[in-house]
Amino acid sequence: MTDLLQAALALHRQGRLLHARALYEQILAAQPEQAQALHYNGLISLQSGEPARAVELIGRAIDIDPRDALAHFNRGSALQHLGRLEEALADYGRALALKPEFAEALSNAAAVLNALARHEESLASAERALALNARSVEAHFNRAVALGELSREAEALNALDQVLSLRPTHVEAEINRGVLLEKRGEFAAALASIERVLTLSPRNAAAYVNRCKLHQRLGRLDAALADCDSAIAIDSRSAVAHLNRGNVLAALGSGDAAMSSYHRALALAPSIAEAHFNIGNLHRRRAELDQAIAAYDQALATRPCYPEALCNRGLCQADLDHLPEALADYDQALRQKADHSQARYNRAFIYLKRGDLNDGWRDYEARFDPVAGSSRDVPHEKHAPRWHGQESLSGKSILVYAEQGFGDTLQFCRYVPLLARLGARVVLEVPAALAGLLGALEGAESLVAHGAAAPPCDYSCPLMSLPLAFGTTLSSIPSQVPYLRADGERVKVWGERLGEKRKPRVG
């Protein structure tokens, strides 16, 4: 029987799987408890795309010989193929307990840990594997994935370069490289990486989807749509391709077609939270607020930690004047992601509407975050530090600048006299069209039109940040009116032009 097993193993090593399987089964017919025959027959099942049968056969071998590290490793591989990740990880652990320097088990464990979002542990496992075998392609790849998920993009790119130097045709490494380059904003390099993927694998639907995303980021919407169509032609059941096709159609303004693509994606993969989220966005754009809220509810049922869905649901609740519900959504979004500036910015309006001015103006500072919907430059803080209200202005100069529309400028310039009363020399920067009206504003020592060079100052402050700096409450809103006066000559000209006033004029 030993000779028969050796013959079967030789055929197996040569890749003659059917012949090897026949001999393993001949051995097992005579000796059903022959552990090696069970193990390697199970390995053939794994190699032939039958992981469930592999788990059963190798499991029987392990019951007979539980100290076979390779059997635990191979059953772990079969369990990994079946998506039974915790069980796979346990088997790799047992293999390593029996054979601590089992580099392949460490590398496979790293892949499973990445899939379980345990990226720090994955990184440690991959690095242990590489300490044992520095040329392990898969260990380098698993290390790169972990580094990328840990936002260590530069190190991840270096790790992927290692993979590609060892195996230039590693498609997954090239795909991941493109994704990381896109994340870093290196769109041209990312596009080149995806082009190499399509050279290596012309029918790679995932690569077309990734190129679609890049084209969309670059504003090439027609090219993006063509890539989605190519991905779907290759794999019509790719939910991700249908999802991205919906994104492109939405960007093209084809809302109905986008909606159809999102529903197709959900028919294929009901757990795609982003599809529900984007359906909600389409409904919100159409002012169909109840339908939008229902879609965001679906997104959150699928992915409870989804601050963007909470934030957008809050916007709908606010539009329906459901302020407590909106506030609860923004609060929850910020619990999930403390630096979610859009939720903080949106929450500001709820606080201000309720009269909670201190909290409202504090959150309103989120408008300067580049990811907030009302993001704006803070142009003068590079030249003069921000005045926050605590610093003495006696004998100091401060540049106050309008960073929003005419209406906000006219409302909030009422704070300029308060600065002057603190001993400041105030330079006020405003749109040129308002310069004539604001020229006589009390407290403004000089006026600068947008675009003109402002003089050096000790401090700077955006006009709309002055309420926060002054700690404004409902009882302390500057209310000395009028604080603006029209030019007398212009009043006279318009009086003659409009004639005698018989009722109030608003203009």
Side-chain angles (χ1 to χ4, degrees):
M1 195 63 69
T2 303
D3 291 343
L4 198 57
L5 180 61
Q6 291 303 319
L9 290 170
L11 290 167
H12 197 161
R13 283 191 290 269
Q14 294 165 20
R16 297 168 66 184
L17 301 186
L18 291 176
H19 295 85
R21 172 176 274 175
L23 289 186
Y24 291 138
E25 290 182 349
Q26 186 179 335
I27 293 167
L28 290 167
Q31 293 182 330
E33 302 299 300
Q34 218 295 336
Q36 281 186 291
L38 283 166
H39 173 189
Y40 290 113
N41 201 21
L43 180 57
I44 286 177
S45 293
L46 177 59
Q47 292 167 323
S48 303
E50 304 170 274
R53 186 168 187 267
V55 168
E56 186 225 331
L57 290 170
I58 301 173
R60 285 167 56 195
I62 289 170
D63 289 341
I64 296 161
D65 181 6
R67 297 194 58 76
D68 186 342
L70 188 58
H72 285 291
F73 172 80
N74 285 331
R75 186 172 68 175
S77 298
L79 289 163
Q80 187 176 347
H81 275 84
L82 290 167
R84 293 160 62 180
L85 301 182
E86 295 286 1
E87 295 170 83
L89 192 60
D91 256 338
Y92 294 141
R94 284 187 276 270
L96 287 161
L98 293 163
K99 185 181 175 183
E101 296 191 348
F102 198 156
E104 292 85 354
L106 286 163
S107 179
N108 278 22
V112 171
L113 288 162
N114 273 329
L116 291 168
R118 292 161 59 179
H119 304 299
E120 292 281 5
E121 295 170 77
S122 173
L123 181 60
S125 191
E127 290 181 343
R128 283 177 60 201
L130 289 167
L132 295 166
N133 179 9
R135 295 186 61 79
S136 168
V137 171
E138 294 314 314
H140 279 295
F141 178 71
N142 293 327
R143 179 173 179 268
V145 171
L147 287 165
E149 292 293 341
L150 293 167
S151 298
R152 294 163 61 177
E153 287 93 353
E155 294 169 86
L157 284 167
N158 286 335
L160 290 170
D161 287 343
Q162 287 276 359
V163 174
L164 292 164
S165 69
L166 292 165
R167 189 186 298 166
T169 58
H170 197 298
V171 171
E172 285 299 313
E174 197 70 79
I175 288 175
N176 278 29
R177 190 171 181 276
V179 170
L180 283 171
L181 288 165
E182 179 191 2
K183 191 174 179 182
R184 287 162 61 94
E186 298 175 34
F187 300 132
L191 200 54
S193 198
I194 298 302
E195 299 291 356
R196 285 193 290 275
V197 172
L198 289 167
T199 301
L200 294 168
S201 179
R203 291 189 58 76
N204 189 311
Y208 278 108
V209 170
N210 287 349
R211 193 170 70 174
C212 154
K213 293 178 189 176
L214 280 166
H215 281 312
Q216 189 172 0
R217 291 288 295 268
L218 293 165
R220 304 170 185 168
L221 298 181
D222 289 337
L225 189 61
D227 275 340
C228 284
D229 289 341
S230 296
I232 290 166
I234 293 165
D235 180 6
S236 63
R237 298 191 60 76
S238 169
V240 176
H242 288 286
L243 171 70
N244 280 280
R245 188 171 189 274
N247 293 344
V248 177
L249 289 164
L252 286 165
S254 302
D256 290 340
M259 194 79 82
S260 295
S261 283
Y262 292 141
H263 283 297
R264 177 62 179 150
L266 287 168
L268 293 164
S271 62
I272 297 187
E274 190 183 344
H276 290 296
F277 175 73
N278 290 345
I279 287 169
N281 291 344
L282 285 173
H283 282 305
R284 188 166 72 87
R285 195 180 301 169
R286 297 170 174 177
E288 298 165 353
L289 300 180
D290 289 332
Q291 295 98 311
I293 289 170
Y296 295 136
D297 288 344
Q298 288 283 341
L300 288 160
T302 305
R303 187 197 300 172
C305 185
Y306 201 162
E308 292 76 20
L310 286 163
C311 187
N312 284 14
R313 187 173 72 179
L315 283 170
C316 294
Q317 299 285 16
D319 286 343
L320 290 166
D321 209 33
H322 299 162
L323 301 191
E325 291 85 350
L327 189 60
D329 276 340
Y330 299 143
D331 285 344
Q332 189 178 345
L334 287 161
R335 282 194 295 273
Q336 291 182 1
K337 187 180 180 186
D339 63 348
H340 199 292
S341 55
Q342 186 65 60
R344 193 171 300 280
Y345 175 76
N346 293 347
R347 189 173 69 174
F349 292 96
I350 305 297
Y351 282 141
L352 292 170
K353 194 169 185 178
R354 295 195 329 181
D356 298 339
L357 300 194
N358 185 59
D359 289 336
W361 292 121
R362 184 200 63 219
D363 278 358
Y364 193 58
E365 290 297 294
R367 71 193 184 278
F368 294 116
D369 191 293
V371 300
S374 184
S375 61
R376 300 174 191 280
D377 267 339
V378 193
H380 296 294
E381 291 190 13
K382 290 177 285 189
H383 309 296
R386 168 79 80 91
W387 183 69
H388 295 97
Q390 289 81 41
E391 305 85 352
S392 172
L393 289 178
S394 180
K396 302 291 185 180
S397 57
I398 181 168
L399 174 64
V400 176
Y401 53 95
E403 69 344 299
Q404 301 206 24
F406 285 12
D408 288 325
T409 302
L410 294 174
Q411 284 289 346
F412 288 84
C413 67
R414 67 179 69 203
Y415 280 86
V416 168
L418 276 63
L419 292 167
R421 288 170 205 156
L422 293 175
R425 299 190 308 277
V426 183
V427 178
L428 180 60
E429 182 187 282
V430 296
L434 295 181
L437 178 59
L438 297 180
L441 180 68
E442 179 195 343
E445 185 174 286
S446 60
L447 210 66
V448 178
H450 280 332
C457 289
D458 297 305
Y459 294 105
S460 67
C461 190
L463 191 61
M464 300 289 286
S465 293
L466 288 173
L468 177 65
F470 276 101
T472 305
T473 64
L474 287 173
S475 61
S476 66
I477 295 171
S479 56
Q480 186 176 337
V481 292
Y483 54 86
L484 291 176
R485 290 171 181 79
D487 177 82
E489 282 302 313
R490 293 191 178 188
V491 171
K492 182 179 176 183
V493 169
W494 278 99
E496 292 171 356
R497 185 168 178 179
L498 295 172
E500 182 183 354
K501 183 166 74 170
R502 296 186 175 85
K503 55 186 177 181
R505 293 170 177 160
V506 178

